[in-house]
Amino acid sequence: MAAEIIAITQQKGGVGKSTIAMHLGAAFHEKNKRVLVVDADGQNTLIHWSSAASDDEHGIPFPVVNLSEAGSQIHREIKKFINDYDIIVVDCPPSITEKVSGVVLLAASVAVIPISSSPADYWSSVGLVKLVQQAQVMNEDLRAVFLLNKTEEKRMLTRELKSVLEELGFPLLKTQIPTRECYKQAMALGQTVLQMSDRGSRLAAAEIRACADEILGMFS
Ligand SMILES: Nc1ncnc2c1ncn2[C@@H]1O[C@H](COP(=O)(O)OP(=O)(O)O)[C@@H](O)[C@H]1O
Ligand SMILES: [Mg+2]
């Protein structure tokens, strides 16, 4: 069967696209899915991340490829891998003025839109929702979900944000990803939190797995 393509996309930088892309890849890999993670962003966060480990044994245990040079032809490059994997996760570049996110969405079955509780993220999501809706005209199978990242436990903004997001037209995943220091450590070590054993990482890993399960549930 052809791979399901999951696009991690948002207009803004710093919302956690790369973090979410790599960690979802790790959670799918752990479930014995054949996973490819595609770095489509010229900042090449994932390429640097995947080459940061001290040795192969402790590094990222699935392939990460750099397609950031492919520009508006990126969907063609991704499709070359489609028969060799179960899931292809694509870390899209932040700007929607570039064609890249738009063409990835034409090939994707799910768009995951990371968002924090900041109003700036909400505003940048409005443009992205339009981009997803445009892609859905051509790609009827495309579904989109918001993923709340970098949540703070004591904030009560979440419920309000949830209803605001639902008005934008796409559901919010039940699982939220709290702010945890271990994500930065994971990146520096060339690993994911699924490979780390401190308490924060174990909590983070459980959240990531729950998030991956919700997304896998969208395919069944
Ligand atoms: N849930 C989180 N908790 C703590 N730090 C996070 C979390 N998500 C992302 N970060 C950090 O925020 C920064 C930006 O994340 P990144 O994934 O590179 O965003 P983007 O790809 O959208 O620009 C990175 O330093 C990353 O480690
Ligand atoms: Mg990034």
Side-chain angles (χ1 to χ4, degrees):
M1 250 188 32
E4 301 282 0
I5 298 172
I6 302 177
I8 316 298
T9 184
Q10 176 56 283
Q11 201 164 353
K12 251 176 99 235
V15 289
K17 290 182 298 298
S18 301
T19 303
I20 301 291
M22 193 70 109
H23 280 90
L24 285 179
F28 297 140
H29 170 82
E30 194 183 63
K31 289 176 194 299
N32 294 321
K33 302 286 181 194
R34 294 171 303 161
V35 176
L36 176 70
V37 173
V38 172
D39 192 340
D41 184 355
Q43 293 180 51
N44 286 143
T45 305
L46 297 191
I47 297 301
H48 293 300
W49 185 346
S50 65
S51 54
S54 51
D55 56 64
D56 285 351
E57 200 186 322
H58 296 97
I60 300 295
F62 47 84
V64 179
V65 292
N66 181 9
L67 295 183
S68 63
E69 304 281 304
S72 59
Q73 298 301 308
I74 191 167
H75 54 310
R76 301 220 170 122
E77 296 300 316
I78 293 171
K79 282 189 173 159
K80 290 180 184 166
F81 295 102
I82 208 151
N83 293 319
D84 296 326
Y85 294 93
D86 300 315
I87 299 183
I88 300 178
V89 182
V90 186
D91 182 22
C92 292
S95 173
I96 59 164
T97 52
E98 288 179 64
K99 289 233 171 75
V100 175
S101 297
V103 290
V104 171
L105 289 172
L106 290 179
S109 41
V110 172
V112 175
I113 309 170
I115 183 164
S116 78
S117 49
S118 132
D121 283 12
Y122 167 73
W123 295 322
S124 69
S125 299
V126 176
L128 194 74
V129 165
K130 287 205 185 108
L131 191 77
V132 172
Q133 286 168 341
Q134 276 166 20
Q136 283 174 325
V137 174
M138 306 270 280
N139 176 8
E140 288 174 6
D141 297 334
L142 175 63
R143 281 175 298 162
V145 289
F146 288 108
L147 170 58
L148 201 50
N149 184 31
K150 299 192 187 181
T151 56
E152 305 290 339
E153 265 173 49
K154 293 189 182 70
R155 287 253 173 91
M156 285 307 291
L157 249 179
T158 316
R159 189 182 300 165
E160 202 177 299
L161 185 78
K162 193 175 162 190
S163 62
V164 169
L165 289 179
E166 277 166 3
E167 276 171 35
L168 283 179
F170 303 137
L172 177 66
L173 288 181
K174 279 196 207 75
T175 311
Q176 300 177 2
I177 308 294
T179 299
R180 295 193 188 277
E181 202 49 44
C182 55
Y183 287 107
K184 291 198 178 95
Q185 288 161 8
M187 212 186 257
L189 292 169
Q191 297 186 347
T192 69
V193 298
L194 275 65
Q195 291 155 285
M196 292 158 54
S197 55
D198 61 287
R199 183 170 178 275
S201 297
R202 281 187 278 122
L203 293 171
E207 289 147 5
I208 291 292
R209 289 181 184 113
C211 185
D213 284 342
E214 275 194 72
I215 294 169
L216 286 179
M218 294 172 71
F219 299 128
S220 56

